[in-house]
Amino acid sequence: MPYATTCGTIHEPGDRCGTLLGAARLPMREESVAVARLLVVNVARVWNVPSDVLDIAELLASEIVTNAVVHAKGPRDGTVWVAALRSGERLIVECHDPSRDVPRLLLDPDPLRENGRGLCLVTNLAYDSGVHLTEEPGKSVWFELVAWPY
């Protein structure tokens, strides 16, 4: 089944954008965040991602999936796709949701608020990150980490 990637198009696993290591379609519910986090952690462990990079991947995956299930506007029975890919030395994690609303990065989040810092964490801790609208209704939020340096 196709999924969205940093290439900005829907494609099948194994094309030039990277090798799919693991993916899941999850309901747009808060419980799905823990499942997505576990997927990313297990994939990272199996592929020998260093523990410090694994910890960051877990945190950032949690942030992008939380944004999707909490803030994305979509059908009540909607789903999110979470995928982990490898492209050379980089681990790519992305989350596709059915909303076309692009999340806003708060440049100076309020330290006293419970939320608003997720995309700041992603931007500051990832090697690269971004958001793009997909051909399927929705968007993909992704990040890359250097996990297998040459």
Side-chain angles (χ1 to χ4, degrees), residues 37-38 44 61 66 73 98 101 107 116 120 132 139:
R37 203 171 37 237
L38 188 60
T66 296
K73 295 175 182 142
D101 293 339
L107 297 177
C120 282
H132 67 268
K139 67 178 170 304

Side-chain angles (χ1 to χ4, degrees), residues 38-144:
L38 188 60
L39 168 78
V40 170
V41 166
N42 286 336
V43 164
R45 282 189 179 131
V46 166
W47 287 92
N48 296 319
V49 171
S51 62
D52 58 331
V53 177
L54 186 148
D55 291 342
I56 294 169
E58 180 180 17
L59 171 65
L60 301 186
S62 181
E63 294 297 338
I64 65 173
V65 177
T66 296
N67 276 349
V69 301
V70 172
H71 300 294
K73 295 175 182 142
R76 291 181 145 259
D77 62 346
T79 59
V80 294
W81 271 94
V82 179
L85 303 98
R86 180 176 183 170
S87 181
E89 66 182 4
R90 296 186 192 146
L91 171 67
I92 303 167
V93 177
E94 59 184 279
C95 180
H96 178 271
D97 68 63
S99 173
R100 297 198 58 89
D101 293 339
V102 175
R104 291 182 317 129
L105 173 64
L106 300 177
L107 297 177
D108 191 21
D110 183 346
L112 301 177
R113 289 188 57 201
E114 277 187 34
N115 52 27
R117 291 178 293 282
L119 288 179
C120 282
L121 287 172
V122 174
T123 300
N124 287 315
L125 295 176
Y127 176 82
D128 196 9
S129 64
V131 178
H132 67 268
L133 298 178
T134 59
E135 291 177 20
E136 285 185 7
K139 67 178 170 304
S140 182
V141 179
W142 55 271
F143 66 85
E144 297 180 3

Side-chain angles (χ1 to χ4, degrees), residues 3-9 11-22 47 83-94 144 148:
Y3 58 93
T5 71
T6 58
C7 293
T9 61
H11 71 283
E12 295 296 326
D15 74 5
R16 66 178 178 79
C17 294
T19 302
L20 180 65
L21 304 179
W47 287 92
L85 303 98
R86 180 176 183 170
S87 181
E89 66 182 4
R90 296 186 192 146
L91 171 67
I92 303 167
V93 177
E94 59 184 279
E144 297 180 3
W148 302 279

